[in-house]
Amino acid sequence: MNKSLKTTSKFLSLVLRHQPEKIGLTLDAQGWADVDELLALSTQHGVALSRDRLIQVVETNDKQRFAFNGDRTRIRANQGHSISVDLALEPQTPPDILFHGTATRFLDSIQAKGLISGSRQHVHLSADKDTAVKVGKRHGKPVVLTVNAAAMVQQGMIFFRSENGVWLTDHVPVECIEFPE
């Protein structure tokens, strides 16, 4: 993704995941925003955003962070919200093993508390190590933790899978995490 598209993607993450009020945008209970309203408010707040540019960002974002509804009149972030939204995801049974990418500087906290959602609604997990490494690199020196999702399911913990394939859960207890040596 080129620098200009990346800047637009970061702006969309801000207003669709964290601070829609920054531009006066209204999200519904499921996190959907009206595309025409998003485009108008973005322009009013100094971010030139065309419909074509918006489509390009949604279609080319390697992490598939955003989605349109069927007729492209509404848009939302697939996950990662720090504001309360109901993505209307159905519980699903995850693979037995999932992965979490993080930075080494967070290991002490994770070893004490497990994986917590922090300011977000869910803990994000990956089905493959490569994706987890990429996530970890965004935060510093990467480390990949192995999560025993099967044990969590046996304990009654619930998982969801976002539209872009990210596994979501409320918390991962320490005893379900395998730390690298």
Side-chain angles (χ1 to χ4, degrees):
M1 180 179 287
N2 71 38
K3 185 177 179 181
S4 177
L5 290 177
K6 191 172 187 177
T7 300
T8 302
S9 177
K10 286 184 178 193
F11 169 75
L12 290 174
S13 287
L14 175 69
V15 299
L16 295 176
R17 294 165 110 180
H18 308 296
Q19 296 178 347
E21 72 279 1
K22 191 137 185 128
I23 63 168
L25 184 65
T26 302
L27 304 182
D28 71 12
Q30 289 78 41
W32 291 103
D34 180 83
V35 168
D36 290 334
E37 181 185 18
L38 171 65
L39 296 174
L41 289 170
S42 297
T43 300
Q44 287 175 20
H45 287 82
V47 178
L49 184 59
S50 69
R51 187 173 302 275
D52 287 342
R53 174 99 166 156
L54 187 62
I55 291 168
Q56 186 179 17
V57 168
V58 172
E59 290 181 350
T60 63
N61 185 276
D62 61 340
K63 295 174 188 75
Q64 294 297 295
R65 285 192 170 115
F66 315 104
F68 286 114
N69 67 343
D71 62 3
R72 291 187 173 171
T73 58
R74 302 188 56 74
I75 186 172
R76 76 174 178 183
N78 283 320
Q79 88 282 325
H81 299 84
S82 60
I83 56 174
S84 181
V85 298
D86 176 6
L87 295 173
L89 300 173
E90 294 293 324
Q92 293 189 24
T93 303
D96 289 349
I97 300 296
L98 291 170
F99 304 95
H100 181 79
T102 190
T104 55
R105 72 179 186 274
F106 299 126
L107 285 177
D108 288 343
S109 175
I110 295 168
Q111 288 172 329
K113 300 177 191 173
L115 292 169
I116 58 173
S117 59
S119 64
R120 299 202 181 182
Q121 285 190 291
H122 297 100
V123 173
H124 296 187
L125 302 168
S126 306
D128 64 272
K129 284 184 181 180
D130 290 341
T131 300
V133 169
K134 289 177 189 173
V135 171
K137 282 183 179 178
R138 292 195 330 246
H139 302 288
K141 184 178 177 191
V143 61
V144 174
L145 307 176
T146 302
V147 173
N148 187 341
M152 291 175 62
V153 169
Q154 287 178 339
Q155 294 173 21
M157 300 185 94
I158 297 172
F159 287 83
F160 304 95
R161 189 169 183 260
S162 68
E163 193 170 315
N164 61 346
V166 175
W167 285 94
L168 308 170
T169 193
D170 291 334
H171 172 252
V172 179
V174 175
E175 64 270 12
C176 292
I177 302 170
E178 181 182 318
F179 294 89
E181 298 187 24

